[in-house]
Amino acid sequence: MLCTKCGQEYEGSQCPRCDGPVILVNNSDYLARRKAYEEKQALKDRSASSDKKEKSPGDYGQELVKRVQKRTSQNKRKNDTGRQNRNNNMKAGEDTKEHSKVRIARRKVNKRMKMIAALIVVLIITGAAAFGIYKLATKKNYALYVSYNGKIYDIAGLDSNYVCDEKNAIFASDSKTFYTPEWPEQIDSDKNILSVASDNGRYFVTVTYDENKTSRKYSMYIWNKDECVLVTEDDLQKEIVYISNDGKVIYTNNNVINDEGSTNGTSLAMSSIMEVKKHSEAQTTLIEGNLNKAYVYEAKHIIVCLTNAGSLYTYDYERKEKPVTVADTVMQIWPASENTSGVYTGNADSLNTRKDVDAFLYSKSDGVYYYSCKDAAVHKIDKKTDTDADYIIDKNNSLIYRLSGATLTSALYKDGKTGDYIDIDSMTKEKNYIYNSASGEIVYVNADNRLRVIDNNKITDIASDVNAGSLSKVYNKSKAITYIADNNQYYMNSIKEKAVLIFKADSNTSTQGTHFYKNRIYSYDSDNILYSNTLKGNNSSQIGYVDRLWLGTELK
């Protein structure tokens, strides 16, 4: 085979000339995918040769041109015939000559009008086709990627193609879209320990660590293709919370005091590049110096901050106005989940990019409260304070669910008023559940290892002997789920369809990395070996070792 990196022809799994990419696809998987590819190409060829093939806009444009040419040729023959007849009848009267001139003039006008109309139609169709091609070209091209041994491979095609080294890929906040920009001269990329890209790829933030320095080991930069600015240089560990499309970076400074990662104080700051006297400088705003927790709601441009003293407030990082106090003596906050609308959990990501996010929960000694970011309205939703619980607010059915590590309870919830909670079912300590906000259904595993669905307080059994913690959503399939039972991993296209055995598994296998891509299911076992199978579970193949699997986009 030919090396994708240097072009050397070789046999085996890796190029001996340049240590190029390791080919991850094994022979059985390659042959299966090659067969599917050839069948698909054959089908395309048959479709192309069919008399009933669908015509593209370009085909229609060519037909219009041919019709115009045919009509022009016919008109020309008619004109030639007309001239011949007129030459043979030179002795006709003057009236006949005048009428012939009028008819010729009309033909010429009609001919010009038809040609102009046909040209306009062709231009419109060509323009529409070009606009469609432009839209297609600017759309993100999603592919299936894996990382292994510090390298990233694209496995969307028949072969695994080397993309880049992981250290050269800078991911956006979604951890799926990544960029491979040229590093600025001011940054030693070998010392890079953390880099994040803005969603549009215009700005990047990088944190480096120099272990050879006795002090000021951490350096943070904000940069783009035109400039690079040093923001901070100190001994405080950094965590990037958010970087906006215009280069605003929200981050924490952690004073780490030992090798175990213990901290002695955390602050929250925001920095951006400003032009001062035609020179780019970093402008930094200290938001909170005694931080406990911070969460960014991107759509609302606010940061939800909880201090170590128990003060809870919101801060608009765009307007930079005075913080809005929510409550004091706060014990805990439950931000909105990034993954599903209506879910509030203490395990939420620090960044929420959902457009509909508008609330969070917090607890005091007398219970749990709901806070609306839209109008600052507050109302109590629970008299009990359970720091381990998650909450699901099902507005369509006027219900609120409390899911702890032991029980699933629910209460009526309407117009800001909450009824008494009643026990519905048991739960495992993993709180293994999936909520569908559109249908109001909760799929979960109870303490008896039964896979169930609850809809408007009605419970239906799905499967038994399900491993606790093995229930997961399937990426790129809105209603599909997967779980492990009897040492097998199962796939369900929806909870109303039959479960399909797709892979062998064990108690250590994680299903969280299961993906759907081009009519196949991809998942890896406890040994990090990646497998793929059809939706019917009848064509399993082993691909190779992976450290991570994701469906994403590489952008330059």
Side-chain angles (χ1 to χ4, degrees):
M1 61 182 69
L2 293 178
C3 177
T4 58
K5 188 175 180 181
C6 67
Q8 172 72 29
E9 185 174 359
Y10 69 96
E11 294 183 358
S13 61
Q14 188 175 27
C15 177
R17 177 182 177 185
C18 68
D19 285 338
V22 178
I23 303 303
L24 298 177
V25 178
N26 68 6
N27 189 52
S28 62
D29 181 70
Y30 177 84
L31 292 176
R33 295 163 80 183
R34 170 66 70 179
K35 181 180 178 182
Y37 174 79
E38 291 175 348
E39 290 177 351
K40 183 177 180 182
Q41 290 299 113
L43 182 62
K44 285 184 178 180
D45 294 340
R46 288 196 298 271
S47 176
S49 62
S50 174
D51 292 334
K52 297 182 179 180
K53 68 176 181 178
E54 185 178 355
K55 298 174 183 177
S56 66
D59 294 332
Y60 287 118
Q62 292 177 0
E63 283 195 6
L64 284 172
V65 172
K66 290 179 180 179
R67 291 177 183 176
V68 171
Q69 291 175 346
K70 182 177 180 181
R71 181 61 58 87
T72 303
S73 178
Q74 291 175 348
N75 289 339
K76 183 177 179 180
R77 287 197 298 271
K78 289 181 180 179
N79 290 338
D80 292 341
T81 302
R83 287 194 207 97
Q84 185 69 30
N85 292 335
R86 286 193 299 273
N87 290 334
N88 294 333
N89 295 282
M90 291 296 294
K91 295 182 180 181
E94 291 297 324
D95 291 341
T96 303
K97 291 181 180 180
E98 291 298 326
H99 287 303
S100 298
K101 290 179 181 180
V102 171
R103 284 194 300 271
I104 293 171
R106 285 176 178 172
R107 289 194 190 101
K108 290 182 178 180
V109 170
N110 292 337
K111 174 182 174 183
R112 292 193 195 102
M113 292 299 292
K114 290 175 181 177
M115 293 183 68
I116 291 172
L119 181 60
I120 291 173
V121 171
V122 171
L123 290 174
I124 291 174
I125 292 175
T126 304
F131 179 71
I133 293 171
Y134 169 77
K135 288 183 69 178
L136 182 63
T138 57
K139 185 179 179 181
K140 284 186 176 181
N141 182 23
Y142 290 100
L144 198 62
Y145 295 94
V146 298
S147 61
Y148 181 65
N149 280 349
K151 300 181 185 297
I152 295 176
Y153 299 89
D154 177 354
I155 63 170
L158 290 173
D159 298 317
S160 296
N161 295 315
Y162 168 79
V163 178
C164 66
D165 287 358
E166 279 190 278
K167 66 179 182 179
N168 295 327
I170 301 181
F171 285 82
S173 59
D174 62 2
S175 299
K176 301 173 184 176
T177 304
F178 63 98
Y179 300 84
T180 53
E182 293 290 333
W183 288 92
E185 295 180 356
Q186 298 94 318
I187 299 177
D188 185 350
S189 61
D190 291 333
K191 297 177 181 178
N192 166 44
I193 59 172
L194 175 62
S195 289
V196 182
S198 62
D199 286 344
N200 61 6
R202 290 185 56 192
Y203 287 91
F204 304 90
V205 56
T206 294
V207 178
T208 61
Y209 178 76
D210 192 343
E211 60 182 5
N212 296 321
K213 288 185 177 180
T214 56
S215 62
R216 303 166 69 89
K217 294 184 175 183
Y218 292 95
S219 301
M220 190 177 88
Y221 303 84
I222 299 177
W223 54 284
N224 56 30
K225 65 178 182 178
D226 300 318
E227 56 189 352
C228 176
V229 176
L230 176 64
V231 178
T232 62
E233 195 172 27
D234 51 39
D235 291 316
L236 300 176
Q237 192 178 78
K238 315 294 180 187
E239 291 183 12
I240 307 302
V241 180
Y242 173 63
I243 177 171
S244 67
N245 285 332
D246 58 358
K248 291 186 182 70
V249 180
I250 299 172
Y251 58 97
T252 60
N253 294 297
N254 306 304
N255 184 19
V256 180
I257 58 177
N258 56 36
D259 294 337
E260 284 73 32
S262 300
T263 60
N264 183 23
T266 300
S267 63
L268 182 70
M270 179 175 69
S271 297
S272 59
I273 298 176
M274 300 293 292
E275 188 172 315
V276 180
K277 295 181 180 181
K278 297 183 179 181
H279 179 69
S280 296
E281 296 181 359
Q283 183 182 66
T284 299
T285 301
L286 178 64
I287 299 173
E288 177 54 55
N290 188 26
L291 183 69
N292 185 317
K293 296 286 185 180
Y295 299 92
V296 174
Y297 284 5
E298 182 185 42
K300 294 290 186 293
H301 304 135
I302 65 170
I303 307 172
V304 181
C305 287
L306 176 64
T307 70
N308 287 320
S311 297
L312 179 63
Y313 63 88
T314 62
Y315 175 74
D316 190 320
Y317 59 83
E318 288 288 353
R319 297 180 180 179
K320 299 181 181 179
E321 297 175 346
K322 184 179 178 180
V324 177
T325 300
V326 177
D328 293 321
T329 65
V330 171
M331 301 167 58
Q332 182 178 340
I333 54 177
W334 289 265
S337 171
E338 160 81 358
N339 300 320
T340 309
S341 176
V343 176
Y344 300 86
T345 173
N347 298 320
D349 294 333
S350 58
L351 173 63
N352 193 312
T353 60
R354 294 183 64 89
K355 302 298 183 183
D356 59 353
V357 61
D358 62 355
F360 57 86
L361 311 180
Y362 65 90
S363 67
K364 301 182 70 170
S365 59
D366 63 340
V368 180
Y369 293 83
Y370 174 98
Y371 179 84
S372 171
C373 302
K374 183 178 181 180
D375 54 12
V378 179
H379 55 264
K380 197 172 186 177
I381 64 168
D382 198 351
K383 298 176 183 179
K384 178 182 177 181
T385 300
D386 187 348
T387 58
D388 182 52
D390 289 354
Y391 288 88
I392 297 176
I393 297 179
D394 181 4
K395 293 182 178 180
N396 294 331
N397 293 315
S398 301
L399 287 171
I400 183 168
Y401 294 94
R402 181 178 63 204
L403 300 90
S404 71
T407 58
L408 168 60
T409 59
S410 70
L412 292 176
Y413 177 76
K414 190 174 183 180
D415 299 329
K417 297 180 180 180
T418 307
D420 294 331
Y421 283 85
I422 59 173
D423 290 344
I424 300 297
D425 201 355
S426 61
M427 285 288 291
T428 61
K429 62 181 180 179
E430 292 84 2
K431 289 184 299 185
N432 195 194
Y433 68 90
I434 298 171
Y435 176 60
N436 187 327
S437 58
S439 64
E441 298 170 329
I442 306 174
V443 183
Y444 65 99
V445 181
N446 73 358
D448 296 324
N449 297 111
R450 291 184 177 274
L451 181 63
R452 290 179 161 181
V453 57
I454 182 170
D455 182 9
N456 198 12
N457 279 345
K458 297 178 181 179
I459 296 177
T460 304
D461 284 330
I462 300 176
S464 58
D465 297 324
V466 175
N467 290 14
S470 70
L471 173 65
S472 297
K473 293 182 66 174
V474 176
Y475 289 99
N476 205 31
K477 264 283 191 179
S478 60
K479 296 181 180 181
I481 64 171
T482 183
Y483 62 90
I484 295 174
D486 301 325
N487 292 327
N488 293 311
Q489 182 175 349
Y490 292 89
Y491 166 84
M492 296 181 70
N493 196 49
S494 74
I495 59 173
K496 296 180 180 179
E497 298 185 37
K498 183 180 179 181
V500 178
L501 192 158
I502 50 173
F503 305 115
K504 290 292 183 180
D506 56 39
S507 58
N508 296 320
T509 301
S510 173
T511 61
Q512 293 183 357
T514 304
H515 284 68
F516 167 82
Y517 185 70
K518 292 187 176 179
N519 293 321
R520 291 188 73 87
I521 297 294
Y522 293 81
S523 186
Y524 46 90
D525 62 15
S526 56
D527 294 324
N528 280 24
I529 298 177
L530 179 64
Y531 294 85
S532 75
N533 205 339
T534 63
L535 298 185
K536 295 182 179 179
N538 56 6
N539 186 15
S540 176
S541 61
Q542 178 181 320
I543 296 177
Y545 286 95
V546 299
D547 294 325
R548 183 189 165 209
L549 169 72
W550 74 95
L551 185 65
T553 307
E554 179 198 8
L555 297 173
K556 302 294 184 181

